[in-house]
């Protein structure tokens, strides 16, 4: 009986083991089926089920050959440019008609396998046959303005108007000539970057037609003429405008107040003149205003207070003139960097500037500012740099020694002839700002007025005064005391012989 039960138990265990083995087999079969399905899906990406038109291939090969040279044989090297034989810098998309089309071309030494231009690089007409192209980037391709110059094609850009969103020519010193007005027909363009080239002439007013543009960068060229008013009339979505380091002249157009979405506005290093437009107050989202190194005058208009999001105000090296008190600085509560150096400012430094709690950098040097320096500036917890040198500031710097130690060379107040710093002999080392005199405190001794008129014989005292002395500590009173002491010694010496 025991044996029989044991056999039944063994059979039961054997059955369970068999069922487990069958289950494992089923799982393995299912996994194999899934892998086969995945392989089938992946195998479809070789272009066999989504081919590319031969016309599209030829246009791509010809476009690249124009840049890298005729020795590049794309049909042999990359027979399937959107499949297994992809080209570095070339991107494709699968469209609803089941075909692959080129959507991005990037030429230039970006990575090890990037396509690089030849010395005879040129724009091929086939470029404009890539009718689905969304992005064209040419970097450091036309790099020799001496040996050979190239112009941006002046025609056929309208063929890409329905697709092109990004156009970037960067660091191509061999690209010269004017910006083609036809670029204004690229109505879907969102980013136009033409920087560090050799472009010249005026900025086409047609660029104001690019209503979807979010970034306009034309910096580091040789552009001249005025800023077109059209740039402020229809670019309401623009986030970045950078036309710095050119040769632009004339005043800023008031229409720039229409750039309602702009975050960065940089026209530094030009020859712009005239006043700051009052309409700049409409730029509520602006975080950076950089107009350094121009010829802008007319002072700081109170309307600048309207730029409530402003973080960087950089206006240095302009003959602005006027007073800082035209602006209530505490309204600009997001301001972190203020550079008004060498702007011909006059008057006092307003105490309201210390109420800009986020301020980190203040440069007011090389002006004609006068008056006292508020001790409140030292209480600005985020302040990292304060430059006040080269003004007409007067009185005592009441900053603590700890302030000078913390700021180091990031604080300067030299070349203010009537400015000195507090020095307490019993507190610390007495080190103050570089090239600034120590302040000397004291009460002058009683002296008889030698005037024999109405004030004859009347004693007078002088109030506690503040004098600026040089670092040697030599003054007229100390020299007088030394002479008196010397005379006493001589008198005692003579009396010893009597």
């Amino acid at each position: 009986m025991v044996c029989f039960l044991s056999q039944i138990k063994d059979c039961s265990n054997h059955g369970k083991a068999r069922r487990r083995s069958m289950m494992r087999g089923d799982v393995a079969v299912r996994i194999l089926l899934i892998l086969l399905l995945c392989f089938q899906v992946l195998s479809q990406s070789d272009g066999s089920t989504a081919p590319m038109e031969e016309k599209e291939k030829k246009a791509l090969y010809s476009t690249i050959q124009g840049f890298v040279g005729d020795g590049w044989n794309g049909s042999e090297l990359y027979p399937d440019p959107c499949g297994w034989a992809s080209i570095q810098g070339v991107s494709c998309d699968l469209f609803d008609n089941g075909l692959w089309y080129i959507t991005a071309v990037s030429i230039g030494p970006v990575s090890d396998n990037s396509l690089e231009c030849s010395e005879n690089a040129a724009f091929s007409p086939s470029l404009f046959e890539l009718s689905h192209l969304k992005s064209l980037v040419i970097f450091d391709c036309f790099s020799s303005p001496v040996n050979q110059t190239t112009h941006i094609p002046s025609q056929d850009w309208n063929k890409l108007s329905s697709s092109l969103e990004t156009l970037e020519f960067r660091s191509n010193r061999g690209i010269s000539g004017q910006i083609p007005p036809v670029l204004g027909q690229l109505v879907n363009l969102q980013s136009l970057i033409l920087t560090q080239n050799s472009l010249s002439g005026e900025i086409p007013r047609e660029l104001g037609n690019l209503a979807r543009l979010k970034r306009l960068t034309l910096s580091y060229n040789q552009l001249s003429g005025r800023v077109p008013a059209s740039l402020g009339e229809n670019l309401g979505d623009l986030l970045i405008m950078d036309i710095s380091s050119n040769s632009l002249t004339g005043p800023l157009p008031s229409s720039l107040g229409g750039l309602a979405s702009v975050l960065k506005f940089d026209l530094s290093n030009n020859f712009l003149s005239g006043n700051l437009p009052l309409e700049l107050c409409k730029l509520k989202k602006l975080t950076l205003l950089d107009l350094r190194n121009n010829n802008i005058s007319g002072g700081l208009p109170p309307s600048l207070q309207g730029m409530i999001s402003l973080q960087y105000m950089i206006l240095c090296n302009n003959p602005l003139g006027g007073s800082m008190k035209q602006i209530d600085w505490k309204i600009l509560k997001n301001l972190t960097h203020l550079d008004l150096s060498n702007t011909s400012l006059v008057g006092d430094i307003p105490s309201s500037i210390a109420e800009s709690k986020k301020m980190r950098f203040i440069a007011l040097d090389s002006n004609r500012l006068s008056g006292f320096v508020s001790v409140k500036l030292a209480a600005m917890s985020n302040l990292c740099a304060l430059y006040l040198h080269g003004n007409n500031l007067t009185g005592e710097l009441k900053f603590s020694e700890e302030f000078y130690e913390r700021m180091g060379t990031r604080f300067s107040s030299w070349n203010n002839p009537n400015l000195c710093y507090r020095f307490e002999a019993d507190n610390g080392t007495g080190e103050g700002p570089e090239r600034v005199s120590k302040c000397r405190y004291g009460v002058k001794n009683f002296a008889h007025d030698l005037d024999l008129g109405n004030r004859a014989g009347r004693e007078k005292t002088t109030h506690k005064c503040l004098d600026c002395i040089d670092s040697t500590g030599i003054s007229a009173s100390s020299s007088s005391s030394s002479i008196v002491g010397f005379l006493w010694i001589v008198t005692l010496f003579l009396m010893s012989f009597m």
Side-chain angles (χ1 to χ4, degrees), residues 15-216:
K16 291 180 179 179
R18 186 177 180 181
R19 285 195 297 275
R20 285 196 296 269
S21 177
M22 292 176 65
M23 290 176 64
R24 292 194 197 100
D26 290 341
V27 172
V29 171
R30 292 176 183 176
I31 292 174
L32 181 61
L33 288 173
I34 292 172
L35 291 175
L36 289 173
L37 287 173
C38 291
F39 177 78
Q40 183 179 3
V41 171
L42 292 174
S43 66
Q44 293 178 357
S45 64
D46 64 356
S48 59
T49 59
M52 174 182 287
E53 291 181 330
E54 197 64 28
K55 176 184 176 182
E56 186 82 358
K57 282 186 183 181
K58 289 182 178 180
L60 174 64
Y61 297 149
S62 178
T63 297
I64 295 177
Q65 271 188 336
F67 293 121
V68 304
D70 295 335
W72 186 84
N73 192 333
S75 59
E76 292 185 3
L77 295 173
Y78 305 97
D80 186 14
C82 292
W84 60 272
S86 60
I87 305 174
Q88 180 73 26
V90 175
S91 299
C92 311
D93 280 345
L94 184 63
F95 282 73
D96 293 338
N97 61 359
L99 297 175
W100 289 104
Y101 290 96
I102 305 301
T103 55
V105 174
S106 179
I107 307 291
V110 177
S111 61
D112 293 338
N113 298 323
S114 297
L115 297 169
E116 297 189 27
C117 289
S118 67
E119 293 183 357
N120 299 316
F123 289 94
S124 169
S126 300
L127 168 66
F128 302 104
E129 297 177 14
L130 301 174
S131 58
H132 295 76
L133 191 65
K134 294 181 179 180
S135 174
L136 176 62
V137 177
I138 308 297
F139 170 69
D140 195 17
C141 182
F142 305 92
S143 57
S144 177
V146 177
N147 299 331
Q148 181 179 0
T149 60
T150 302
H151 293 178
I152 298 175
S154 59
Q155 298 177 350
D156 295 330
W157 288 101
N158 58 304
K159 296 180 180 180
L160 304 178
S161 61
S162 62
S163 63
L164 198 62
E165 298 176 355
T166 298
L167 180 60
E168 179 176 342
F169 298 155
R170 184 189 297 270
S171 300
N172 296 283
R173 292 302 182 187
I175 292 184
S176 60
Q178 297 185 346
I179 299 174
V182 71
L183 295 184
Q185 298 182 22
L186 298 172
V187 293
N188 286 304
L189 204 63
Q190 298 183 24
S191 178
L192 177 58
I193 302 175
L194 308 176
T195 184
Q196 297 176 346
N197 302 296
S198 298
L199 297 170
S200 58
E202 297 186 356
I203 300 172
R205 58 181 178 83
E206 287 82 359
L207 297 186
N209 298 329
L210 304 176
R212 298 187 179 182
L213 202 63
K214 297 185 183 300
R215 179 171 183 176
L216 176 62

Side-chain angles (χ1 to χ4, degrees), residues 414-426:
W414 45 268
N415 201 17
N416 285 280
N418 296 313
L419 190 68
C420 62
Y421 72 92
R422 178 192 293 265
F423 168 64
E424 298 179 7
D426 58 345

Side-chain angles (χ1 to χ4, degrees), residues 475-494:
S475 65
S477 59
S478 63
S479 299
S480 177
S481 299
S482 299
I483 294 172
V484 172
F486 175 74
L487 291 175
W488 273 106
I489 294 173
V490 172
T491 302
L492 291 173
F493 178 76
L494 293 175

Side-chain angles (χ1 to χ4, degrees), residues 221-243:
N221 284 287
Q222 300 162 20
L223 300 173
S224 57
R226 298 194 173 198
V227 178
S230 61
L231 296 185
E233 294 172 351
N234 199 32
L235 303 185
D237 292 335
L238 193 69
L239 301 177
I240 297 174
M241 176 182 281
D242 184 354
I243 319 180

